[in-house]
Amino acid sequence: MIVPTLGPMELASATRRAERLLVPAAFVTALGNNVQLIAGALLMIRSGKTMLAVGLLFIAVAAPQAVLSPWFGRVADRYDRRRLWIGCDLASAVLALALPVWLTAGGAKGPGVYAANFALAVVAALFFPVSNALIKERVRPELVRRFNANYEMATQAGMLLSATVGGLLVQRLGAVPLLVFNAGTFVASAALVTAVGRRPGGVIGTVPTAVGDAPVRAQPAQLTWHIPIGRLIVLYAQGSVVVTVFNALLPKLVMGEWGRGAGLFGIVDAVGSLGFLGATAFYKVVGRRFGDLPIAVFGFLVCNVSLVLQPLFGSAALILGVAAGAFTYGTARIASRSLLMTSVDETQAGRAFGLANGAGLAATVVVMLGVAELVDHTDSRWGFAATAALSAVAAVAAGVLLRGPLAAGRFAGAGPAEPEDRHISATADVSTVSA
């Protein structure tokens, strides 16, 4: 006997519920992850005031993700992605509470900050492919581009708003209350994903089984990418380098060099959040007329120009520059994310985004070390310029390399690419998905 599936109305309702809840869950998780990181960066700036001290903190966050994300991507394709997301949030809440407990007990500040953020980064290495694979699994294909605009806006706004929350609360209340608040954000995210509900029956990616058995997700015996996936990863992952290095440069510039308080630091990123809101609306309009590849390449290049100008003309120019940079970066990031998501099969989404996250953060470690060394021997202006130059080279190179598949008609640049072989062989690896 075949497992009964949901009717069209029930399936549509479950899908819409997932699409509504996954965006705020992503926002809350991004806010929590980056509040922890920003609070740590502010603590390190107050202690040492060197770019290298902040850079090492970001490397402690990037390194485990660079190593583990590709392997965790396979985990995301084998097990229940919703349960994995909830587990990541609950584990992060416990780890986030550990740092304020350590500081309250009189533990050393430096080792505590590094250890807590390293542990959270290990969890984040699983969360990134899991969350993206769950989106590919639950969001209707015809809405992927629109959903990605909302999702990327929520994620990046959460990252930028974390600086506002972190800057203002650290300045007024100190680090410990902020870190306790941070733990609560992970609990809120877990509650939202719990409300998404089980994976509906009859969705793509499941195969029917006998009553009493758990549904299984078929796994291809071999990965097959419709286009060279490495080229898309270069385009998508260099955005991670830009935003991570920028987040390390900003406290060094504002607090370390200009001697301004954490409040200005928070205001700058709050304005950046408005830029991301604008990018979401803009992408939904421009995406109707242009493909994602030109949107991504042009957006990253304009963002790089803004990045060079931001530290040159004082606080007002920095605020305006961050708003413009967030707008263009956000537009490009949404487009590059849509390119990657629409070109992989649902059963391979975890591995694709695991590889993208690992590659981006591995590059981040290298760039962060180089930029930190440059800034500590010069000033932050050179760090902004060097980051922009590297991003421009990556964006142009990826754009040129992807023109071949586009011209050959192998990839439309908007809709999902059909896998080369949808047949599931008898020897294909299958994994039980608990609901």
Side-chain angles (χ1 to χ4, degrees):
M1 184 180 294
I2 301 299
V3 174
T5 60
L6 296 180
M9 295 292 293
E10 293 86 350
L11 181 57
S13 176
T15 303
R16 286 194 296 269
R17 183 172 63 250
E19 290 165 352
R20 288 196 307 269
L21 293 174
L22 288 177
V23 169
F27 169 78
V28 174
T29 301
L31 177 65
N33 276 325
N34 288 277
V35 161
Q36 184 87 13
L37 187 57
I38 292 298
L42 294 176
L43 289 172
M44 299 309 294
I45 282 289
R46 288 178 174 177
S47 299
K49 294 191 176 182
T50 68
M51 173 67 184
L52 183 58
V54 179
L56 289 175
L57 174 61
F58 280 84
I59 289 170
V61 171
Q65 295 186 67
V67 174
L68 295 173
S69 278
W71 181 77
F72 279 155
R74 294 176 176 269
V75 175
D77 288 338
R78 293 177 62 88
Y79 299 102
D80 187 321
R81 292 154 174 174
R82 172 174 162 269
R83 286 191 170 186
L84 287 173
W85 184 326
I86 295 169
C88 287
D89 279 335
L90 295 179
S92 296
V94 173
L95 292 170
L97 279 176
L99 180 56
V101 171
W102 170 265
L103 295 175
T104 302
K109 185 181 301 180
V113 169
Y114 284 123
N117 282 280
F118 180 87
L120 282 167
V122 172
V123 179
L126 176 59
F127 173 79
F128 187 85
V130 163
S131 59
N132 284 284
L134 184 63
I135 290 166
K136 180 72 174 180
E137 172 187 300
R138 298 295 184 96
V139 176
R140 289 167 286 178
E142 66 272 18
L143 294 182
V144 164
R145 294 183 85 203
R146 176 176 289 274
F147 179 89
N148 276 336
N150 295 329
Y151 185 90
E152 193 67 36
M153 178 274 295
T155 302
Q156 300 299 331
M159 293 175 66
L160 288 174
L161 188 60
S162 66
T164 304
V165 175
L168 295 177
L169 291 185
V170 166
Q171 185 168 297
R172 293 187 174 217
L173 303 176
V176 171
L178 173 63
L179 294 170
V180 174
F181 161 82
N182 178 41
T185 64
F186 292 114
V187 176
S189 174
L192 287 168
V193 179
T194 300
V196 166
R198 302 186 192 185
R199 180 186 176 102
V203 281
I204 295 173
T206 60
V207 294
T209 62
V211 173
D213 294 335
V216 296
R217 180 183 293 120
Q219 304 292 336
Q222 182 178 354
L223 285 177
T224 54
W225 309 116
H226 190 65
I227 62 170
I229 196 71
R231 303 176 190 183
L232 285 174
I233 287 177
V234 169
L235 182 64
Y236 176 78
Q238 61 91 24
S240 301
V241 178
V242 171
V243 74
T244 306
V245 177
F246 170 80
N247 280 334
L249 285 166
L250 191 60
K252 171 63 177 173
L253 173 70
V254 172
M255 300 174 66
E257 294 180 6
W258 291 355
R260 303 294 296 273
L264 174 62
F265 176 64
I267 291 171
V268 168
D269 272 352
V271 172
S273 297
L274 297 178
F276 271 105
L277 289 173
T280 302
F282 179 71
Y283 173 80
K284 291 177 181 179
V285 174
V286 76
R288 298 171 187 166
R289 300 187 58 187
F290 300 98
D292 283 321
L293 181 62
I295 293 174
V297 173
F298 183 75
F300 280 131
L301 292 178
V302 177
C303 174
N304 294 331
V305 174
S306 171
L307 198 64
V308 173
L309 298 176
Q310 286 170 12
L312 299 182
F313 303 107
S315 301
L318 176 64
I319 292 171
L320 293 175
V322 168
F327 176 78
T328 52
Y329 172 88
T331 305
R333 180 72 169 181
I334 294 166
S336 62
R337 174 187 172 82
S338 293
L339 279 171
L340 182 58
M341 182 165 287
T342 56
S343 57
V344 295
D345 188 70
E346 185 263 318
T347 59
Q348 302 172 0
R351 276 174 275 192
F353 278 93
L355 288 169
N357 194 42
L361 291 171
T364 297
V365 171
V366 175
V367 174
M368 185 71 77
L369 286 172
V371 169
E373 187 69 16
L374 175 65
V375 168
D376 285 341
H377 284 83
T378 54
D379 58 52
S380 295
R381 295 173 298 175
W382 291 99
F384 279 88
T387 304
L390 292 171
S391 174
V393 170
V396 170
V400 170
L401 290 172
L402 283 168
R403 288 184 63 191
L406 284 165
R410 295 169 61 197
F411 181 55
E418 291 297 321
E420 295 177 2
D421 184 5
R422 296 192 68 87
H423 173 68
I424 300 170
S425 68
T427 59
D429 177 30
V430 294
S431 302
T432 300
V433 182
S434 54

